[in-house]
Short mmCIF file of all heavy atoms in Angstrom, two decimals:
data_model
loop_
_atom_site.label_atom_id
_atom_site.label_comp_id
_atom_site.label_asym_id
_atom_site.label_seq_id
_atom_site.Cartn_x
_atom_site.Cartn_y
_atom_site.Cartn_z
N PHE A 1 -10.42 12.91 24.67
CA PHE A 1 -10.18 13.92 23.66
C PHE A 1 -11.37 14.65 23.28
O PHE A 1 -12.52 14.18 23.38
CB PHE A 1 -9.50 13.36 22.51
CG PHE A 1 -8.15 12.68 22.76
CD1 PHE A 1 -8.11 11.34 22.93
CD2 PHE A 1 -7.04 13.43 22.58
CE1 PHE A 1 -6.84 10.75 23.23
CE2 PHE A 1 -5.79 12.88 22.91
CZ PHE A 1 -5.71 11.48 23.13
N MET A 2 -11.21 15.94 22.77
CA MET A 2 -12.33 16.75 22.12
C MET A 2 -11.89 16.81 20.73
O MET A 2 -10.77 17.02 20.28
CB MET A 2 -12.33 18.05 22.72
CG MET A 2 -12.66 18.07 24.26
SD MET A 2 -14.39 17.61 24.72
CE MET A 2 -15.32 18.90 24.01
N ALA A 3 -12.96 16.57 19.74
CA ALA A 3 -12.57 16.77 18.29
C ALA A 3 -13.78 17.12 17.55
O ALA A 3 -14.98 17.11 18.08
CB ALA A 3 -12.07 15.35 17.76
N ASP A 4 -13.56 17.64 16.37
CA ASP A 4 -14.70 18.04 15.44
C ASP A 4 -14.94 16.97 14.43
O ASP A 4 -14.07 16.17 14.02
CB ASP A 4 -14.22 19.27 14.59
CG ASP A 4 -14.10 20.60 15.60
OD1 ASP A 4 -14.87 20.69 16.57
OD2 ASP A 4 -13.10 21.29 15.26
N ALA A 5 -16.23 16.93 14.03
CA ALA A 5 -16.55 15.99 12.91
C ALA A 5 -15.61 16.22 11.75
O ALA A 5 -15.37 17.41 11.43
CB ALA A 5 -18.09 16.18 12.44
N GLY A 6 -15.23 15.29 11.04
CA GLY A 6 -14.30 15.44 9.96
C GLY A 6 -12.85 15.24 10.34
O GLY A 6 -12.07 15.18 9.37
N THR A 7 -12.57 15.19 11.60
CA THR A 7 -11.13 14.99 12.05
C THR A 7 -10.68 13.62 11.79
O THR A 7 -11.54 12.72 12.06
CB THR A 7 -11.02 15.49 13.45
OG1 THR A 7 -11.38 16.76 13.76
CG2 THR A 7 -9.63 15.24 14.06
N THR A 8 -9.60 13.23 11.42
CA THR A 8 -9.16 12.01 11.14
C THR A 8 -8.32 11.58 12.41
O THR A 8 -7.47 12.31 12.91
CB THR A 8 -8.12 11.89 9.90
OG1 THR A 8 -8.79 12.13 8.85
CG2 THR A 8 -7.56 10.37 9.76
N VAL A 9 -8.68 10.38 12.84
CA VAL A 9 -7.90 9.80 14.12
C VAL A 9 -7.15 8.55 13.69
O VAL A 9 -7.70 7.77 12.96
CB VAL A 9 -8.87 9.48 15.28
CG1 VAL A 9 -9.98 8.44 14.88
CG2 VAL A 9 -8.08 8.85 16.53
N THR A 10 -5.88 8.41 14.05
CA THR A 10 -4.98 7.35 13.74
C THR A 10 -4.49 6.78 14.99
O THR A 10 -4.03 7.41 15.85
CB THR A 10 -3.84 7.82 12.82
OG1 THR A 10 -4.47 8.51 11.66
CG2 THR A 10 -2.89 6.77 12.32
N LEU A 11 -4.51 5.35 15.01
CA LEU A 11 -3.85 4.60 16.01
C LEU A 11 -2.77 3.74 15.44
O LEU A 11 -3.09 3.01 14.46
CB LEU A 11 -4.99 3.80 16.73
CG LEU A 11 -4.50 2.81 17.81
CD1 LEU A 11 -3.91 3.71 19.09
CD2 LEU A 11 -5.65 1.93 18.31
N LYS A 12 -1.71 3.78 16.13
CA LYS A 12 -0.52 2.97 15.84
C LYS A 12 -0.19 2.07 17.18
O LYS A 12 -0.24 2.69 18.23
CB LYS A 12 0.69 3.57 15.34
CG LYS A 12 0.38 4.49 14.30
CD LYS A 12 0.99 3.85 12.98
CE LYS A 12 0.82 5.03 11.88
NZ LYS A 12 0.62 4.31 10.61
N THR A 13 0.08 0.73 16.98
CA THR A 13 0.47 0.02 18.19
C THR A 13 1.76 -0.83 17.83
O THR A 13 2.05 -1.16 16.70
CB THR A 13 -0.70 -1.15 18.54
OG1 THR A 13 -0.71 -2.04 17.37
CG2 THR A 13 -2.03 -0.45 18.85
N THR A 14 2.55 -0.96 18.96
CA THR A 14 3.75 -1.67 18.88
C THR A 14 3.91 -2.67 19.93
O THR A 14 4.30 -2.51 21.03
CB THR A 14 4.95 -0.83 18.96
OG1 THR A 14 4.88 0.29 17.99
CG2 THR A 14 6.25 -1.55 18.66
N PRO A 15 3.12 -3.88 19.74
CA PRO A 15 3.02 -4.92 20.84
C PRO A 15 4.23 -5.72 20.89
O PRO A 15 4.99 -5.84 19.89
CB PRO A 15 1.73 -5.72 20.44
CG PRO A 15 1.73 -5.61 18.96
CD PRO A 15 2.32 -4.27 18.66
N ASP A 16 4.51 -6.39 21.96
CA ASP A 16 5.52 -7.40 21.99
C ASP A 16 5.00 -8.75 21.30
O ASP A 16 3.75 -8.75 20.90
CB ASP A 16 6.04 -7.68 23.39
CG ASP A 16 4.99 -8.27 24.37
OD1 ASP A 16 4.10 -8.99 23.89
OD2 ASP A 16 5.32 -8.04 25.58
N ALA A 17 5.66 -9.84 21.30
CA ALA A 17 5.42 -11.06 20.67
C ALA A 17 4.17 -11.84 21.28
O ALA A 17 3.74 -12.72 20.74
CB ALA A 17 6.66 -11.92 20.48
N ASN A 18 3.92 -11.54 22.56
CA ASN A 18 2.88 -12.21 23.25
C ASN A 18 1.47 -11.76 22.97
O ASN A 18 0.56 -12.20 23.68
CB ASN A 18 3.16 -12.13 24.75
CG ASN A 18 4.29 -12.95 25.15
OD1 ASN A 18 4.68 -13.96 24.42
ND2 ASN A 18 5.10 -12.48 26.07
N VAL A 19 1.28 -10.76 22.12
CA VAL A 19 -0.15 -10.28 21.88
C VAL A 19 -0.39 -9.88 20.44
O VAL A 19 0.45 -9.35 19.78
CB VAL A 19 -0.35 -9.06 23.00
CG1 VAL A 19 0.45 -7.81 22.43
CG2 VAL A 19 -1.78 -8.57 22.88
N VAL A 20 -1.58 -10.03 20.12
CA VAL A 20 -2.14 -9.60 18.80
C VAL A 20 -3.27 -8.58 19.14
O VAL A 20 -3.97 -8.81 20.16
CB VAL A 20 -2.58 -10.74 17.90
CG1 VAL A 20 -3.17 -10.22 16.63
CG2 VAL A 20 -1.57 -11.65 17.63
N THR A 21 -3.39 -7.41 18.47
CA THR A 21 -4.37 -6.50 18.75
C THR A 21 -5.32 -6.19 17.52
O THR A 21 -4.96 -6.19 16.38
CB THR A 21 -3.91 -5.21 19.37
OG1 THR A 21 -3.01 -4.70 18.35
CG2 THR A 21 -3.06 -5.44 20.53
N TYR A 22 -6.59 -6.10 17.96
CA TYR A 22 -7.60 -5.77 16.96
C TYR A 22 -8.36 -4.37 17.51
O TYR A 22 -8.30 -4.04 18.64
CB TYR A 22 -8.68 -6.78 16.86
CG TYR A 22 -7.99 -7.94 16.16
CD1 TYR A 22 -7.64 -9.03 16.93
CD2 TYR A 22 -7.87 -8.17 14.76
CE1 TYR A 22 -6.90 -10.13 16.52
CE2 TYR A 22 -7.32 -9.24 14.19
CZ TYR A 22 -6.81 -10.20 15.04
OH TYR A 22 -6.22 -11.31 14.72
N GLY A 23 -8.98 -3.71 16.65
CA GLY A 23 -9.58 -2.38 17.13
C GLY A 23 -10.92 -2.27 16.50
O GLY A 23 -11.26 -2.88 15.51
N ALA A 24 -11.65 -1.38 17.13
CA ALA A 24 -12.96 -0.85 16.68
C ALA A 24 -13.25 0.55 17.16
O ALA A 24 -12.77 1.06 17.97
CB ALA A 24 -13.99 -1.84 17.26
N ILE A 25 -14.13 1.26 16.36
CA ILE A 25 -14.60 2.58 16.70
C ILE A 25 -16.06 2.50 16.87
O ILE A 25 -16.90 2.05 16.01
CB ILE A 25 -14.35 3.60 15.62
CG1 ILE A 25 -12.72 3.76 15.50
CG2 ILE A 25 -15.01 4.89 15.86
CD1 ILE A 25 -12.37 4.76 14.56
N LEU A 26 -16.52 2.92 17.96
CA LEU A 26 -17.99 2.89 18.47
C LEU A 26 -18.42 4.39 18.21
O LEU A 26 -17.94 5.30 18.93
CB LEU A 26 -18.27 2.37 19.87
CG LEU A 26 -18.35 0.88 19.99
CD1 LEU A 26 -17.01 0.13 19.65
CD2 LEU A 26 -18.73 0.58 21.39
N GLU A 27 -19.39 4.61 17.44
CA GLU A 27 -19.86 5.98 17.20
C GLU A 27 -21.11 6.04 17.96
O GLU A 27 -22.21 5.38 17.78
CB GLU A 27 -20.09 6.02 15.54
CG GLU A 27 -20.46 7.46 15.25
CD GLU A 27 -20.44 7.60 13.72
OE1 GLU A 27 -21.32 6.91 13.15
OE2 GLU A 27 -19.65 8.38 13.18
N ARG A 28 -21.35 6.88 18.92
CA ARG A 28 -22.41 7.15 19.84
C ARG A 28 -23.49 8.15 19.04
O ARG A 28 -22.99 9.31 18.79
CB ARG A 28 -22.15 7.62 21.17
CG ARG A 28 -21.36 6.57 21.95
CD ARG A 28 -21.00 6.94 23.35
NE ARG A 28 -20.52 8.31 23.59
CZ ARG A 28 -19.25 8.55 23.37
NH1 ARG A 28 -18.27 7.66 23.21
NH2 ARG A 28 -18.87 9.86 23.57
N ILE A 29 -24.55 7.58 18.60
CA ILE A 29 -25.59 8.59 17.97
C ILE A 29 -26.85 8.43 18.82
O ILE A 29 -27.01 7.51 19.62
CB ILE A 29 -25.74 7.99 16.52
CG1 ILE A 29 -26.37 6.53 16.54
CG2 ILE A 29 -24.57 8.15 15.68
CD1 ILE A 29 -26.79 5.92 15.25
N PRO A 30 -27.77 9.43 18.51
CA PRO A 30 -28.97 9.33 19.24
C PRO A 30 -29.80 7.98 18.97
O PRO A 30 -29.85 7.54 17.91
CB PRO A 30 -29.88 10.41 18.71
CG PRO A 30 -28.85 11.43 18.22
CD PRO A 30 -27.74 10.52 17.70
N GLY A 31 -30.10 7.38 20.09
CA GLY A 31 -30.75 5.99 19.90
C GLY A 31 -29.73 4.77 19.80
O GLY A 31 -30.59 3.81 19.57
N GLY A 32 -28.53 4.97 19.89
CA GLY A 32 -27.76 3.77 19.73
C GLY A 32 -26.25 3.97 19.49
O GLY A 32 -25.74 5.14 19.57
N VAL A 33 -25.71 2.90 18.98
CA VAL A 33 -24.27 2.98 18.67
C VAL A 33 -24.02 2.21 17.39
O VAL A 33 -24.72 1.23 17.04
CB VAL A 33 -23.52 2.11 19.80
CG1 VAL A 33 -21.96 1.98 19.51
CG2 VAL A 33 -23.60 2.82 21.17
#
């Protein structure tokens, strides 16, 4: 995706009973993450 700073991103998941999900956002900046 392409997006501008200040844009809100939302993630919704609907898993079955065999899985639990966790999430993270990695922000790539000069010199690291």
Side-chain angles (χ1 to χ4, degrees):
F1 294 96
M2 302 292 288
D4 295 322
T7 300
T8 300
V9 60
T10 302
L11 176 65
K12 303 256 186 219
T13 64
T14 308
D16 67 23
N18 292 327
V19 64
V20 176
T21 56
Y22 296 90
I25 294 182
L26 279 61
E27 188 174 62
R28 295 185 309 277
I29 58 173
V33 173

